[in-house]
Amino acid sequence: MAELQPFRGIRYDSEKLPLEKLITEPYDRITPEMQEEYYKRHPYNIVRIILGKDIEPDHPERNKYKRAKLYLDEWLEKGIFIREDKDSFYVYEQEFKVDGEIKRRKGLIARVKLEDFSSKKILPHEKTFPKPKEDRLNLLRATNSNTEQIFLLYEDPDFLVNKKINEILPKSLQTCDVKDEDGIIHRLWVIKDDNVIREIQKLMADKVLIIADGHHRYETSLNYRDEMIKKLGKVKGDEPFNYIMMTLFNLDDPGLVILPTYRLVKGLEKLSEPNLKNLLSLYFEIEEKPWSNIEDKSIISEVKNILAKENHIFAIYVSDFRKFYILRLKSEDILDKEINSGKSKEWKRLDVSILHSLIIDKFSELTDREFSVENNVSYIRKLDEGIEKVNKKEYQMICLLNPVTLHQIRDIVKNGELMPHKSTDFYPKLKSGLIINPLF
């Protein structure tokens, strides 16, 4: 079901250039401050192509999308970029630490045939929004290239694809082995062996793919494909615009990590300890963990360890009360009664669904004003930073939860549903600048 093709990728000449100064986070993770830092880091940093400044005073071209195309062409001409001499697959390995444990994962980079979601061959898990798709479409039109990878999952419990990859790597050209500013190591190999490529294509042919990161870019490529078909009229179906560059990871790879996204809450003028406990005790057993000395960070590790050992367990820290509240769901029977009846059993049992339905949504009773997720809730991935914001009174509380699992995502998307908003944070992200897929 997944049609993979090798391609002649464009990549930096790693023998001439310091890759660690050229690669970046994906475009949608780059803040204005990061963009400025990337610009200063090196004149050939990939940010100039994937997320150029609206205005570059020292560049005559005012349109950032046209400017991206000029950089792409210029860097190819200068030999900053080189294009592979034959169609290839690529292997991308990341090595990183989570809670002190070293993890590694290998992904396969290939062109993959674009499929409408209705085909059920490629499945999304989150909602997209028009503005990011418009931005990415303008860049795709200008460069006629996939300038970044998108992150896909497939099921292969016997690790047949990984075994084939590991067999060929010692004989393959390694073009990248760099450590980024976060201590994450990124390695890239080129697979040019036609027989191995064909074997991998066969192994992947029956796979259903799940989008982990890159929904906006995937839908942008669908729109671009449709534009090109309309423009050209008759097409064969094997044109480059019918494909998109993906990095494919085995869903059972132990190196796949999803981190939780914590919720910060404000605007609850009726928040008091009795009101909070009365509200939540309907659904949860409540255990209190006092935190009298905020300089002692050991309580944070203790709470995280408690959460990691149980299902359907949450924690709330309220600075005014100097306490963590550990919340244990009384019974799963509550979920079928209290959570949106239009959702599947699997969706209702997601911790992020429970958090919003039985905790955050109930906070409307703690204010006389209109309460909404858009106005009263913010999201943060770093727990220490979130707790600091609560202690500084920027927010009243932070809500902790366990991350979703890969198999939960698989079950939800196979039901034809989308995951709740801000429920998946795959770590680490795929670095941009390692490879470009030219559609020409």
Side-chain angles (χ1 to χ4, degrees), residues 388-415:
E388 184 178 358
K389 288 179 180 291
V390 175
N391 284 331
K392 288 181 176 179
K393 310 301 182 184
E394 295 176 34
Y395 293 88
Q396 291 168 284
M397 67 173 69
I398 184 168
C399 302
L400 286 64
L401 74 165
N402 288 316
V404 299
T405 69
L406 290 156
H407 291 89
Q408 283 178 318
I409 296 172
R410 177 200 62 192
D411 294 342
I412 295 299
V413 300
K414 286 191 173 181
N415 283 339

Side-chain angles (χ1 to χ4, degrees), residues 247-280:
T247 305
L248 304 153
F249 290 92
N250 185 349
L251 188 139
D252 292 302
D253 191 324
L256 284 172
V257 174
I258 302 177
L259 300 179
T261 301
Y262 306 109
R263 273 63 174 165
L264 293 158
V265 183
K266 63 182 179 180
L268 308 178
E269 70 272 10
K270 293 163 66 175
L271 177 64
S272 68
E273 189 167 21
N275 285 348
L276 181 65
K277 292 169 76 172
N278 287 338
L279 188 66
L280 299 178

Side-chain angles (χ1 to χ4, degrees), residues 43 46 78 81 84 113 157 181 252 324 333 368 404:
I46 197 66
K78 287 183 174 181
F81 281 151
E84 223 64 68
K113 185 74 175 287
E181 60 269 28
D252 292 302
F324 281 92
D333 294 339
D368 292 324
V404 299

Side-chain angles (χ1 to χ4, degrees), residues 139-177:
L139 182 63
L140 184 52
R141 286 168 176 157
T143 62
N144 195 27
S145 300
N146 300 140
T147 54
E148 298 180 279
Q149 313 158 59
I150 67 170
F151 189 155
L152 275 286
L153 306 172
Y154 64 92
E155 291 187 81
D156 182 14
D158 295 323
F159 286 83
L160 299 178
V161 175
N162 285 78
K163 289 174 183 175
K164 184 55 61 178
I165 286 172
N166 289 333
E167 286 174 13
I168 192 63
L169 280 196
K171 307 171 189 175
S172 302
L173 171 67
Q174 184 174 2
T175 66
C176 171
D177 188 349

Side-chain angles (χ1 to χ4, degrees), residues 66-287:
K66 292 181 180 178
R67 201 186 315 132
K69 172 61 171 170
L70 291 175
Y71 282 131
L72 178 58
D73 291 344
E74 176 188 327
W75 296 355
L76 272 169
E77 185 178 344
K78 287 183 174 181
I80 304 303
F81 281 151
I82 56 177
R83 187 166 184 183
E84 223 64 68
D85 57 0
K86 66 170 294 186
D87 288 340
S88 307
F89 281 162
Y90 299 82
V91 175
Y92 179 17
E93 181 181 69
Q94 293 174 299
E95 181 179 319
F96 55 99
K97 282 187 179 181
V98 175
D99 295 331
E101 180 185 357
I102 295 176
K103 291 182 174 288
R104 296 181 185 85
R105 67 187 186 203
K106 286 190 181 78
L108 175 72
I109 303 177
R111 272 184 183 169
V112 181
K113 185 74 175 287
L114 287 160
E115 301 284 354
D116 294 324
F117 293 142
S118 59
S119 73
K120 307 296 184 184
K121 296 179 181 180
I122 295 178
L123 302 173
H125 82 259
E126 68 181 25
K127 182 180 178 181
T128 58
F129 301 92
K131 191 171 181 180
K133 286 189 285 189
E134 180 183 357
D135 167 60
R136 293 299 94 181
L137 184 56
N138 285 333
L139 182 63
L140 184 52
R141 286 168 176 157
T143 62
N144 195 27
S145 300
N146 300 140
T147 54
E148 298 180 279
Q149 313 158 59
I150 67 170
F151 189 155
L152 275 286
L153 306 172
Y154 64 92
E155 291 187 81
D156 182 14
D158 295 323
F159 286 83
L160 299 178
V161 175
N162 285 78
K163 289 174 183 175
K164 184 55 61 178
I165 286 172
N166 289 333
E167 286 174 13
I168 192 63
L169 280 196
K171 307 171 189 175
S172 302
L173 171 67
Q174 184 174 2
T175 66
C176 171
D177 188 349
V178 298
K179 182 182 289 189
D180 68 21
E181 60 269 28
D182 297 315
I184 301 165
I185 298 172
H186 305 267
R187 302 183 178 102
L188 192 75
W189 291 265
V190 187
I191 298 178
K192 299 185 179 184
D193 188 304
D194 292 331
N195 291 327
V196 173
I197 288 172
R198 281 192 291 269
E199 288 180 50
I200 292 175
Q201 286 174 315
K202 289 177 183 177
L203 289 171
M204 289 296 300
D206 65 343
K207 307 300 183 190
V208 173
L209 306 181
I210 299 170
I211 302 176
D213 272 335
H215 288 77
H216 288 95
R217 281 166 282 171
Y218 186 82
E219 291 189 25
T220 294
S221 287
L222 287 175
N223 293 336
Y224 185 65
R225 176 203 66 183
D226 293 345
E227 275 189 8
M228 294 301 293
I229 290 173
K230 185 176 180 181
K231 177 181 177 181
L232 297 174
K234 190 175 181 180
V235 296
K236 294 185 294 181
D238 60 354
E239 295 84 359
F241 58 75
N242 285 292
Y243 295 80
I244 183 173
M245 180 171 63
M246 294 181 176
T247 305
L248 304 153
F249 290 92
N250 185 349
L251 188 139
D252 292 302
D253 191 324
L256 284 172
V257 174
I258 302 177
L259 300 179
T261 301
Y262 306 109
R263 273 63 174 165
L264 293 158
V265 183
K266 63 182 179 180
L268 308 178
E269 70 272 10
K270 293 163 66 175
L271 177 64
S272 68
E273 189 167 21
N275 285 348
L276 181 65
K277 292 169 76 172
N278 287 338
L279 188 66
L280 299 178
S281 61
L282 290 171
Y283 313 111
F284 301 95
E285 301 290 347
I286 302 175
E287 176 187 354

